[in-house]
Amino acid sequence: MPLKHAKTKKWTYILAVLFTLHTVSTIGLMYNQDYFMYGIDLGIVVLFAILIYKMLIVKDSYAINLEQEILNHKETYAELEANRIKLQNIFDSIDVAIWSHNLKTNKLLITSGIEKLYGYPLQAFYDDSELWKKVIHPDDDEIIIKRGIAIQNGQITTSEYRIMKPNGEIRWIQDRGIPFLDANNELIDFNSILIDITERKRAEITIEHMAYYDELTGLPNRNGFMQTIEKQLKEADLQDQNLALMYVDLDRFNVLNDTLGHSFGDLLLQKVAELLKVTVGFYGTVFRRSGDEFLILLTFKEISEIKQKAEQIIQAFTKPFKLSGQEVFTTPSIGISIYPENGSDSETLLKRADSALYLAKEKGRNTYQFFTEQRDGKMERRLTLEHGLRRALTNNEFFLVYQPLVHIGNKKILGVEALLRWNKEDEGMISPAEFIPIAEETGMILPIGEWVLREACLQGLSWHEQGFSDLLISVNISVRQLLEESFIERVESILSETEFPPTSLELEITESTTMQNMEEALPILNALRAKGIRISVDDFGTGYSSLTYLRHLPVDTLKIDKMFIDDILTDSKAGAIVKTIIDMGHNLDFYVIAEGIETGEQINFLVEQGCIYGQGYHLYKPLHADELQRQLHKNVVMT
């Protein structure tokens, strides 16, 4: 446009010059009428006509360009309007609002998205510019105060707070405030972008709950415990308080879980969690560490308070838990460590409470014990063995030895008992009396027991293939294995895999633990016996078996416990008990085997009482497979 105006101005100047020349030539003709002057005047007229023509063309071109430019402006405006509408639709469709406030002119601009976020009409915010602040949750007022200070200082700040909508619903808002200050650092303009982040907050709360709370019981979990104890240790130092940590473990829970099923086990854990919360009350916090293990943190003034609370917990477990109409009993063992006497950090306190817990179990369970320094070494030893057990199978540290079962009269080997041994890589042989209880408590007995059964069956098959087809292989089974849901299937699978005949396998169960779970064990034993597998009751006489149960048990063999055999020559009562067991076993058509025979005099006594089967070091010590094979060739008639 400026260029076109410049051209028009140029033609005007030319026109003025020509008009001036024409006027001068006309005046000249008035005084001198010759052909030269006529020629000049005519030329000027022609140039004037040409100039007029050119101006008309330029004018038309200018009109056309102006029309095009107006059209372009209209198209640009239409495009801008379409973009504005599109942007408005986007703002209206998402949970976002924009708030812009010019403090100098007091001009306020709010997008319609605020209606969806806050639940109030747009006009309400124009009528009351403080409405957004009035609906903020009272618990978040501190956030708004800090936000206001930052804004006044010109800091871009992002805040998250809750608002209450008119219907009572609480929503989370993310508010990003962008302030503008003048040269005097005075706030003159302020913009804010508001977003509904309620769903994100709910997801964060869910994730945090999963991270710090146990899904089954709703109690704080191990992460929650670590977070809480670190906080309470600092508070205890500041307030000069004492802190107690109770480590609670349910006695025989694994047996109950395997017997009743995991769903019942979960129900029991939920009931126990609720009972502990009610019993502890406001005096402490209950956590679920893992499995059937719980932790309790309590502050106290006198140690008697902790003793009283431990006794209350034990007393609370005397009543049965009702699970789907069934009454179930369980008892707690409790280990206690004290801060700061037993440790200055959470890891030490937890370790020493665990040590005290195992002392409580050694004391007969269903009791509590405080940590003592004397227990620390024993706990270290136990943890070392537990850690080693978890690697022993992978490292091939286990092996089997076989102790013969002998006919006392002719010294012939009728069968062998497979005995587990552990050659720990960093310290050598470990006594079974030391590691078997740990394996049972930790559940490691399940994979270990399965390995023992498979190895014994493979070795038994090898001996059968060499001609000793009547040789009986006896394997010890813990009650934990027996009551596992899939135990029968596991036994069948191993027999099928090794091709070892069921009639040549004898499973030994201990009297004491089996009698405590007779109702659950009886159908399993019957199913095993129906498959041709022999059943033997080990350590008989120590569990005070009910004769009614014994009469119905699908048992083939009773093994008299070594503790009675040891004293049969010096204690008349022990001799009488052994004679009674032998007579009872024969009357019930059981084979009776005396365990732990160490002298010829013991053999003579047993033979006199009618016991013709025995096992012990006086007859044979436990032998490696190759050593036993040589003995088999010496005294067993091959078939």
Side-chain angles (χ1 to χ4, degrees):
M1 284 297 294
L3 183 62
K4 293 183 176 70
H5 285 298
K7 288 182 177 180
T8 303
K9 191 173 182 181
K10 181 183 72 174
W11 289 114
T12 303
Y13 286 152
I14 294 171
L15 184 63
V17 170
L18 291 176
F19 181 76
T20 302
L21 291 174
H22 175 65
T23 303
V24 171
S25 64
T26 301
I27 294 172
L29 285 174
M30 291 175 62
Y31 293 97
N32 187 14
Q33 298 183 355
D34 57 17
Y35 291 106
F36 176 75
M37 292 300 295
Y38 280 113
I40 291 173
D41 189 45
L42 181 61
I44 291 170
V45 172
V46 171
L47 288 173
F48 187 78
I50 293 172
L51 177 62
I52 295 298
Y53 175 75
K54 285 283 187 180
M55 288 182 65
L56 290 173
I57 292 175
V58 169
K59 182 180 179 182
D60 289 341
S61 174
Y62 173 72
I64 293 170
N65 289 337
L66 181 62
E67 183 180 355
Q68 183 63 43
E69 193 162 336
I70 292 171
L71 181 61
N72 290 342
H73 275 295
K74 288 182 177 180
E75 290 177 353
T76 301
Y77 177 79
E79 186 176 347
L80 288 173
E81 181 64 16
N83 288 336
R84 187 194 67 78
I85 295 172
K86 185 184 295 184
L87 188 61
Q88 184 65 46
N89 290 337
I90 291 174
F91 279 123
D92 291 343
S93 64
I94 60 176
D95 296 340
V96 174
I98 295 177
W99 179 294
S100 181
H101 193 180
N102 187 315
L103 301 180
K104 274 195 167 184
T105 62
N106 199 30
K107 186 175 182 181
L108 182 64
L109 174 65
I110 309 170
T111 62
S112 60
I114 203 165
E115 294 184 341
K116 189 174 182 181
L117 262 65
Y118 284 75
Y120 289 89
L122 178 62
Q123 188 58 43
F125 292 93
Y126 284 106
D127 295 341
D128 183 2
S129 61
E130 294 292 310
L131 177 59
W132 70 273
K133 190 183 295 185
K134 293 177 181 178
V135 299
I136 291 174
H137 196 285
D139 293 346
D140 294 340
D141 286 343
E142 186 67 25
I143 298 173
I144 300 305
I145 292 173
K146 291 180 179 179
R147 174 182 178 276
I149 294 173
I151 293 296
Q152 288 293 333
N153 292 330
Q155 299 173 8
I156 296 176
T157 182
T158 300
S159 307
E160 295 179 356
Y161 50 80
R162 289 163 292 176
I163 63 166
M164 295 177 291
K165 298 180 77 170
N167 61 3
E169 182 185 6
I170 295 177
R171 306 290 293 183
W172 278 93
I173 298 296
Q174 182 187 79
D175 183 345
R176 182 164 178 81
I178 306 171
F180 295 91
L181 305 183
D182 62 12
N184 298 320
N185 288 327
E186 295 290 333
L187 183 65
I188 59 171
D189 199 291
F190 171 72
N191 296 313
S192 189
I193 302 172
L194 307 169
I195 304 173
D196 189 322
I197 58 169
T198 304
E199 298 308 318
R200 193 195 81 191
K201 276 291 184 181
R202 287 173 180 169
E204 289 175 358
I205 292 170
T206 300
I207 292 171
E208 182 178 4
H209 193 276
M210 291 173 63
Y212 291 97
Y213 288 85
D214 175 54
E215 183 178 1
L216 178 65
T217 63
L219 295 176
N221 60 15
R222 187 170 182 171
N223 292 332
F225 166 76
M226 295 306 296
Q227 188 181 60
T228 303
I229 192 172
E230 294 299 333
K231 179 181 178 181
Q232 289 201 8
L233 287 176
K234 292 177 182 178
E235 290 178 355
D237 288 337
L238 292 173
Q239 301 174 17
D240 195 25
Q241 290 181 332
N242 295 311
L243 190 65
L245 171 59
M246 289 186 178
Y247 200 137
V248 183
D249 182 79
L250 302 184
D251 302 326
R252 296 178 59 252
F253 174 77
N254 290 326
V255 174
L256 289 170
N257 201 36
D258 293 340
T259 302
L260 300 176
H262 294 293
S263 58
F264 269 84
D266 289 346
L267 284 174
L268 178 58
L269 290 173
Q270 290 172 338
K271 294 285 186 181
V272 167
E274 189 61 35
L275 179 66
L276 289 174
K277 283 173 61 178
V278 171
T279 307
V280 172
F282 296 104
Y283 296 96
T285 308
V286 183
F287 307 82
R288 185 188 178 201
R289 186 172 188 267
S290 64
D292 61 332
E293 298 175 347
F294 296 85
L295 300 170
I296 303 172
L297 278 174
L298 306 105
T299 56
F300 68 96
K301 295 181 179 179
E302 301 292 335
I303 201 69
S304 58
E305 300 173 29
I306 301 302
K307 292 180 179 179
Q308 182 182 19
K309 187 57 66 177
E311 289 167 359
Q312 288 175 355
I313 292 172
I314 291 172
Q315 180 62 32
F317 278 79
T318 57
K319 296 180 180 179
F321 294 93
K322 293 184 178 180
L323 309 176
S324 301
Q326 184 174 348
E327 290 189 347
V328 175
F329 286 90
T330 189
T331 55
S333 292
I334 306 173
I336 307 171
S337 62
I338 303 297
Y339 175 81
E341 287 85 348
N342 300 145
S344 59
D345 59 84
S346 58
E347 184 178 351
T348 303
L349 290 171
L350 188 60
K351 174 183 172 183
R352 292 185 168 178
D354 194 16
S355 176
L357 170 64
Y358 282 98
L359 177 60
K361 288 184 175 293
E362 289 178 2
K363 294 282 187 180
R365 305 172 187 269
N366 194 28
T367 187
Y368 66 91
Q369 292 290 316
F370 287 87
F371 170 79
T372 60
E373 293 293 338
Q374 292 84 350
R375 281 293 301 170
D376 214 17
K378 291 183 179 180
M379 187 60 190
E380 288 284 354
R381 174 62 175 167
R382 187 191 186 282
L383 291 174
T384 298
L385 292 179
E386 182 178 331
H387 182 68
L389 276 173
R390 299 187 185 280
R391 298 182 303 170
L393 273 178
T394 305
N395 295 346
N396 297 316
E397 296 175 16
F398 290 124
F399 65 94
L400 298 181
V401 293
Y402 302 88
Q403 187 169 32
L405 307 173
V406 179
H407 188 290
I408 296 176
N410 57 25
K411 303 297 189 293
K412 296 298 182 182
I413 298 175
L414 304 175
V416 294
E417 179 182 356
L419 300 171
L420 179 63
R421 295 292 184 263
W422 181 17
N423 185 15
K424 195 169 184 290
E425 63 176 352
D426 54 355
E427 62 178 288
M429 298 301 297
I430 307 296
S431 169
E434 190 175 13
F435 75 80
I436 292 294
I438 298 174
E440 291 182 342
E441 288 177 8
T442 59
M444 284 297 295
I445 196 66
L446 297 177
I448 293 173
E450 187 174 337
W451 178 87
V452 169
L453 182 59
R454 181 178 287 103
E455 288 296 307
C457 288
L458 286 170
Q459 185 59 61
L461 181 66
S462 175
W463 284 325
H464 280 201
E465 290 174 345
Q466 295 176 49
F468 308 111
S469 58
D470 289 337
L471 189 68
L472 184 70
I473 304 295
S474 183
V475 178
N476 290 282
I477 299 296
S478 74
V479 69
R480 181 81 181 272
Q481 290 175 270
L482 183 67
L483 298 180
E484 189 189 17
E485 292 181 13
S486 60
F487 178 68
I488 295 175
E489 289 78 7
R490 289 179 185 273
V491 173
E492 289 179 325
S493 175
I494 290 173
L495 289 173
S496 174
E497 175 189 332
T498 61
E499 299 181 353
F500 189 70
T503 53
S504 295
L505 175 64
E506 182 175 70
L507 300 181
E508 291 193 19
I509 57 176
T510 57
E511 179 196 12
S512 56
T513 54
T514 303
M515 292 304 168
Q516 292 174 6
N517 303 278
M518 182 53 64
E519 291 185 3
E520 297 83 15
L522 190 57
I524 298 173
L525 295 175
N526 280 324
L528 293 169
R529 191 68 188 84
K531 298 179 184 302
I533 299 171
R534 296 169 62 87
I535 305 297
S536 172
V537 177
D538 196 15
D539 302 333
F540 189 79
T542 61
Y544 311 101
S545 299
S546 166
L547 292 179
T548 302
Y549 275 128
L550 192 59
R551 183 165 58 89
H552 292 95
L553 274 176
V555 171
D556 299 279
T557 305
L558 297 181
K559 299 183 78 172
I560 306 173
D561 188 72
K562 182 181 182 298
M563 64 179 287
F564 296 113
I565 304 301
D566 287 342
D567 299 329
I568 56 176
L569 300 178
T570 58
D571 186 344
S572 59
K573 290 183 179 179
I577 290 174
V578 169
K579 184 180 186 308
T580 300
I581 293 174
I582 293 171
D583 291 340
M584 180 183 64
H586 290 161
N587 290 332
L588 293 173
D589 292 326
F590 295 152
Y591 291 98
V592 179
I593 298 175
E595 291 186 296
I597 300 174
E598 296 182 353
T599 67
E601 290 80 4
Q602 290 174 338
I603 288 179
N604 293 335
F605 178 89
L606 292 167
V607 171
E608 288 177 6
Q609 305 307 320
C611 181
I612 59 174
Y613 303 108
Q615 183 181 10
Y617 272 70
H618 183 73
L619 299 168
Y620 287 99
K621 67 177 183 179
L623 302 171
H624 290 276
D626 55 348
E627 296 174 316
L628 180 61
Q629 188 164 315
R630 288 193 290 269
Q631 293 299 325
L632 290 174
H633 281 289
K634 290 180 182 179
N635 68 9
V636 175
V637 178
M638 298 175 66
T639 57

